[in-house]
Amino acid sequence: QVQLVESGGGLVQAGGSLRLSCAASGSIFSINAMGWYRQAPGKQRELVAAITSGGSTNYADSVKGRFTISRDNAKNTVYLQMNSLKPEDTAVYYCNAERTVSGIRGYYWGQGTQVTVSS
């Protein structure tokens, strides 16, 4: 099992910045990729950014150029630096880990952290 603990959410004005952190613990040795998803009220959960164990990154078009995902392997932590925040970025942000063991892929989620951007 993998446990994920997020931190860093909060309230910020439009144009401001926040940094989210996600600390992984447990059986982390087979994690292939980690990412951030978000879910706004009344909307489906969507991928924001992801990073593989090799360091390749992927971003939603809506956040490209504003958000940066990174990882600190020594701390088993993934970060999401969010700049130039917009009210439409308001959502609960969830950390996700993808792990493959014996050919079986599993997905793990954090508890979520609220990000609110005021106009």
Side-chain angles (χ1 to χ4, degrees):
Q1 295 295 317
V2 175
Q3 293 79 43
L4 303 172
V5 178
E6 302 118 330
S7 60
L11 173 64
V12 64
Q13 288 189 332
S17 299
L18 283 174
R19 189 176 81 154
L20 305 182
S21 300
C22 173
S25 62
S27 301
I28 62 174
F29 55 91
S30 296
I31 290 178
N32 306 320
M34 295 184 69
W36 290 94
Y37 287 70
R38 67 186 181 188
Q39 187 167 18
K43 294 188 177 182
Q44 288 189 329
R45 190 173 297 188
E46 62 175 359
L47 174 68
V48 176
I51 186 167
T52 68
S53 56
S56 298
T57 58
N58 182 41
Y59 295 93
D61 288 342
S62 59
V63 306
K64 283 180 180 177
R66 300 189 298 123
F67 291 10
T68 302
I69 189 169
S70 61
R71 64 193 295 165
D72 184 334
N73 291 329
K75 296 182 178 180
N76 300 319
T77 300
V78 171
Y79 304 97
L80 184 68
Q81 178 67 45
M82 305 185 294
N83 299 329
S84 302
L85 283 161
K86 305 175 181 180
E88 50 264 44
D89 294 317
T90 295
V92 178
Y93 284 69
Y94 296 91
C95 181
N96 168 270
E98 177 190 306
R99 174 173 170 257
T100 300
V101 177
S102 300
I104 299 174
R105 189 172 297 177
Y107 298 92
Y108 302 86
W109 296 92
Q111 79 284 359
T113 185
Q114 177 70 46
V115 171
T116 303
V117 184
S118 62
S119 57

